[in-house]
Amino acid sequence: MSMSDFNRKNGTVDTEAVESEARIVYGRNPVRELIENGKPVDRIIVKRGEYDGSISVIVAKARERGITVSEADGRKLDAYSEGGRHQGVVAFLAPMAFLSVKELLEKTEAEGQTPFYIILDGIEDPQNLGAILRSAECSGANGIILPKHHCAPLSPSACKASAGAVEYIPIAKVTNLTRAIEELKDAGLWIYGADADGEYFGNVDLSGPVAFVLGSEGRGISRLVRDNCDKIISIPLHGKINSLNVSAAAAVIMYAAEASRNRK
């Protein structure tokens, strides 16, 4: 069942509204990390009667920060989480501020970093989007570039799958990925697209200012975006299955880049 179907059946806001207005994060570990790291949590809702264990710690820390804590029955919390996976707590955050490509480049330069970005072309599964964000933050990527259309929204399920990474990694949203790639090239970045018919990534120098393009789960990288990549790279597959999940492929490529950059 998709997140949008779930919302329609439960009468809650759709994922686009969640993203553009308040953001919702659920689950004990993600909510606790938000509070402990000083993120802009407006309020939290706790399942009525569930103040034991880690929930009591979350509530205590929230109150220390002056965050409003309220109670609700489980059905209300279910309406804010796909499949009722809230673990008894839901947090509401201020709307996310997305960057432009120019702002992303400026932020990376101000931090004294060599650009290392991930460009997502048509990722439709919120779980994959969240998992990619998580790997990007852990591998040291400087930012994610998403299209405004034809991409999974940063829904509650995507935020939970990111394990809190959505709060740490800069995200740019663009109307046209091809133009964004041209802007990155003008700034000196090399653009690598990931696809099955590319050159083995182990033979490519992935250090320096780079961006990696990952395509949709079914169709891969769109033609126009692919044509604007400097090189297409691939991951070797030695088993009987002929593809990796896009989030797994993303993690492999990101850590190959991380290793290449740290050897320099």
Side-chain angles (χ1 to χ4, degrees), residues 137-216:
E137 202 279 329
C138 289
S139 65
N142 302 116
I144 301 283
I145 299 174
L146 305 175
K148 288 184 178 178
H149 307 290
H150 309 298
C151 180
L154 287 166
S155 64
S157 58
C159 292
K160 187 171 192 301
S162 82
V166 68
E167 300 302 321
Y168 298 98
I169 189 160
I171 300 175
K173 272 210 166 186
V174 301
T175 303
N176 188 302
L177 282 181
T178 301
R179 287 199 199 103
I181 287 172
E182 290 171 355
E183 191 172 349
L184 294 174
K185 285 183 174 182
D186 289 342
L189 276 74
W190 280 80
I191 313 299
Y192 295 98
D195 210 347
D197 61 354
E199 181 178 350
Y200 167 47
F201 73 83
N203 294 334
V204 180
D205 181 2
L206 302 178
S207 63
V210 295
F212 299 95
V213 184
L214 294 148
S216 71

Side-chain angles (χ1 to χ4, degrees), residues 38-96:
K39 295 304 177 180
V41 179
D42 290 334
R43 62 191 176 99
I44 67 171
I45 300 178
V46 176
K47 184 178 178 182
R48 185 169 287 113
E50 199 154 321
Y51 273 75
D52 59 334
S54 58
I55 290 286
S56 63
V57 175
I58 291 169
V59 170
K61 290 182 178 295
R63 286 177 172 157
E64 284 176 11
R65 282 194 49 203
I67 297 168
T68 299
V69 179
S70 60
E71 292 186 349
D73 60 31
R75 289 180 61 189
K76 184 169 183 179
L77 271 68
D78 290 347
Y80 291 119
S81 63
E82 187 172 16
R85 293 180 296 167
H86 47 75
Q87 298 177 317
V89 62
V90 174
F92 296 81
L93 292 84
M96 178 172 289

Side-chain angles (χ1 to χ4, degrees), residues 88-133:
V89 62
V90 174
F92 296 81
L93 292 84
M96 178 172 289
F98 295 107
L99 305 177
S100 66
V101 171
K102 181 175 182 288
E103 289 168 334
L104 183 59
L105 288 164
E106 288 173 346
K107 178 176 174 60
T108 304
E109 182 180 7
E111 293 171 349
Q113 300 289 317
T114 301
F116 168 21
Y117 302 139
I118 309 301
I119 302 171
L120 301 182
D121 180 15
I123 301 299
E124 298 172 345
D125 184 340
Q127 296 291 325
N128 281 337
L129 175 59
I132 291 169
L133 289 169

